[in-house]
Amino acid sequence: MPLTNVQTRDVEALLHPYTPLHKLRETGPLVLDHGEGVFVYDTQGKRYIEGMSGLWCAGLGFGDKELIEAAREQLDRLPYYHLFGGKSIEPAIELAEKLKEIAPFEASKVFFTSSGSEANDTQVKLAWYYNNARGRPEKKKIISRQKAYHGVTIVSASLTGLPNNHRDFDLPVDRILHTDCPHYYRFGEPGETEEEFTARTVRSLKELIAREGPETIAAFIAEPIMGAGGVIVPPAGYFEAVQAVLAEHDILFIADEVITGFGRTGNWWGSETFGIAPDTVSVAKQLTSAYAPLGAVMISEELYQAFVEESAKIGVFGHGFTYGGHPLGCALGVKAIEIYQSRDILSRVRALAPQFQERLERLRDHPLVGEVRFKGLVGGVELVADKTTKRPFAANHGVGGICAKHLENHGAILRAIGDTIALCPPMIITSDELSQLFDSLEKALDDTEATVTRNGLR
Ligand code: PMP
């Protein structure tokens, strides 16, 4: 199909993130125009159910009048101010107070950023600063995991454990290590039970720490559920065992709650769902339900005290972003948390989770589906060429992408991560809308199977 006018303007003007650039010039982008509830509409007026909340972020859906009004009021009152050098604004104070109230650990202070990448970059800088401040300058390495996703700035992309984020970018930088990914379906060995797999994965972390020297390791960073790595839900007992190892060696646990925060797994935090007691937490995305960019890092009193002492020695705590704590983002963050509470979004997620799970489990019998994974209202469907051997499709066939395209034809937007179809619908979705989303997914899987067979992609 020839490109429409707006598609032509797009490919002539935009360098798109996370896109097969060579293909986009032929296909053109899907240009979205407006949204309402769980639906978005393209420039031709076609409606799609948005099953990914955009990028795991618009948890309250589109066109929420309360959020829009909060934004309008803040823009009217004070569209910009900052927190540098002794200035402050009430929305930032109020949001920090709210975050402290709901945090999954004894949070003492909140540092604002504009994104999740900046939050995780900040985490690494804080871990380094903390260990310099307490006279442990050798304790600097950060352990992340293969298939982790922590962002795309130089250090957060280094934490990310995905080849496309490293290859050709000269990453990762040094002092960033990657340990095993706790995905039993993919990395469990033949005959190995899930418990044995978990024990082996944690043993491998232990060995890495021993090899590098525990005195050189500052922190371990993990998403409670790995999102952009393919919605990987950890096996039972994994985080308990990891934390026992970290505690032995004075290694901080940084929980990256950028996707799992604010109700996504049925609790406020993925940390609660998976028994994690973090030392510090990164948030973004659903913090404002994505109505404005905002991220944050929550830190303990111990870290804060170390920073205060260091600042007394060197003069200033030298870190901060122009838009960290932007009034618009903070006003929206305050309102989003109020809505999560007033509309009891956590109970909503819990009430819908069994239906979400049941519809996912039903897909297990589909000839394309190797594994389904889920918790709360986040899930993944991994497509494989051979169900028995778990053999994946050749990456260059782009079978996940084919399925995502079929989904669009059936009026739904989901995200293909390789050949895993990710689901992360707005938490305001109704039971009927959820059924509609899965009906579209089932049709798209059948269409994908037909395409795979027709083109001999197995
Ligand atoms: N951490 C996690 C767990 C994420 O999923 C993401 C974004 N997908 C990030 C960090 C980076 O956030 P941002 O894109 O806002 O920089």
Side-chain angles (χ1 to χ4, degrees):
M1 281 230 293
L3 300 190
T4 61
N5 183 35
V6 66
Q7 285 179 318
T8 305
R9 285 173 45 216
D10 176 284
V11 296
E12 292 307 327
L14 284 174
L15 172 61
H16 277 267
Y18 267 98
T19 300
L21 298 174
H22 58 297
K23 286 191 192 154
L24 189 74
R25 292 199 69 81
E26 287 156 30
T27 59
L30 172 65
V31 185
L32 285 318
D33 180 72
H34 61 283
E36 191 57 49
V38 297
F39 296 100
V40 289
Y41 297 76
D42 69 17
T43 43
Q44 318 275 333
K46 180 171 157 109
R47 187 176 87 158
Y48 304 84
I49 186 161
E50 223 308 348
M52 267 302 287
S53 306
L55 289 173
W56 335 74
C57 50
L60 294 172
F62 302 88
D64 188 284
K65 297 290 177 283
E66 275 189 75
L67 286 171
I68 293 165
E69 194 44 42
R72 204 190 317 269
E73 274 175 26
Q74 186 57 48
L75 287 174
D76 264 349
R77 180 185 293 271
L78 186 66
Y80 176 71
Y81 221 79
H82 61 82
L83 310 177
F84 280 41
K87 307 293 188 301
S88 199
I89 51 167
E90 272 210 47
I93 300 167
E94 194 179 349
L95 182 54
E97 287 170 346
K98 282 197 182 300
L99 284 169
K100 283 180 59 171
E101 253 170 56
I102 59 173
F105 73 114
E106 223 17 75
S108 169
K109 301 291 177 283
V110 177
F111 179 88
F112 286 112
T113 68
S114 323
S115 69
S117 298
E118 287 179 357
N120 289 326
D121 237 75
T122 295
Q123 292 282 17
V124 174
K125 286 183 74 178
L126 295 187
W128 290 346
Y129 194 87
Y130 171 62
N131 281 332
N132 285 331
R134 65 179 183 145
R136 304 285 303 275
E138 77 294 350
K139 201 168 170 66
K140 293 290 167 54
K141 294 176 191 163
I142 315 286
I143 301 180
S144 180
R145 300 175 298 167
Q146 276 138 27
K147 290 197 173 251
Y149 191 89
H150 298 296
V152 292
T153 55
I154 290 180
V155 165
S156 69
S158 296
L159 295 171
T160 292
L162 298 166
N164 284 340
N165 296 89
H166 293 168
R167 197 189 294 142
D168 291 351
F169 289 113
D170 293 0
L171 297 176
V173 294
D174 62 6
R175 303 201 284 191
I176 307 289
L177 311 168
H178 293 89
T179 189
D180 296 359
C181 168
H183 189 191
Y184 175 58
Y185 174 78
R186 261 295 145 225
F187 303 118
E189 281 171 359
E192 192 176 43
T193 66
E194 192 171 89
E195 290 71 33
E196 288 163 349
F197 167 74
T198 305
R200 177 165 62 84
T201 306
V202 176
R203 207 159 51 241
S204 159
L205 170 67
K206 235 177 169 157
E207 286 161 6
L208 175 67
I209 294 171
R211 220 165 35 242
E212 297 286 333
E215 71 288 353
T216 69
I217 302 187
F220 171 85
I221 183 166
E223 306 149 85
I225 294 175
M226 298 172 115
V231 192
I232 298 162
V233 181
Y238 167 76
F239 278 120
E240 283 85 342
V242 164
Q243 289 175 104
V245 174
L246 303 181
E248 266 179 54
H249 300 297
D250 185 25
I251 297 172
L252 297 174
F253 192 120
I254 305 170
D256 181 346
E257 295 265 9
V258 167
I259 288 179
T260 47
F262 307 99
R264 179 53 64 188
T265 66
N267 292 304
W268 272 112
W269 306 102
S271 289
E272 292 169 73
T273 304
F274 295 100
I276 299 168
D279 296 291
T280 143
V281 171
S282 297
V283 292
K285 296 193 190 272
Q286 296 197 134
L287 171 59
T288 62
S289 185
Y291 277 49
L294 188 71
V297 164
M298 298 187 250
I299 60 162
S300 65
E301 180 65 17
E302 188 183 332
L303 262 73
Y304 175 66
Q305 281 308 331
F307 301 161
V308 172
E309 282 165 30
E310 192 66 5
S311 157
K313 277 190 250 156
I314 65 175
V316 70
F317 173 66
H319 180 62
F321 301 98
T322 299
Y323 301 126
H326 194 286
L328 179 61
C330 288
L332 282 163
V334 167
K335 183 51 77 178
I337 293 176
E338 277 172 15
I339 294 175
Y340 296 142
Q341 287 168 326
S342 65
R343 296 189 205 157
D344 200 0
I345 292 291
L346 297 185
S347 301
R348 235 194 127 78
V349 171
R350 284 182 202 156
L352 284 168
Q355 182 189 351
F356 188 69
Q357 173 173 344
E358 191 270 323
R359 290 296 301 256
L360 278 167
E361 282 179 336
R362 236 196 262 174
L363 300 178
R364 280 205 179 110
D365 294 332
H366 194 279
L368 279 177
V369 175
E371 188 188 39
V372 296
R373 313 186 268 273
F374 46 78
K375 199 82 196 176
L377 278 186
V378 58
V381 180
E382 182 165 337
L383 312 183
V384 291
D386 186 325
K387 281 170 86 89
T388 318
T389 62
K390 307 182 191 173
R391 178 171 56 82
F393 287 103
N396 63 347
H397 289 334
V399 171
I402 292 170
C403 185
K405 205 72 214 157
H406 285 308
L407 269 154
E408 284 178 15
N409 295 338
H410 292 294
I413 295 180
L414 291 175
R415 188 172 167 73
I417 300 171
D419 291 337
T420 292
I421 306 299
L423 297 94
C424 187
M427 301 184 295
I428 54 157
I429 197 166
T430 64
S431 172
D432 282 351
E433 289 162 345
L434 198 57
S435 298
Q436 209 176 308
L437 177 62
F438 277 101
D439 293 347
S440 297
L441 178 55
E442 284 175 8
K443 286 183 206 150
L445 285 172
D446 289 344
D447 290 354
T448 307
E449 174 63 21
T451 309
V452 162
T453 307
R454 192 170 55 247
N455 297 334
L457 303 183
R458 278 203 168 78

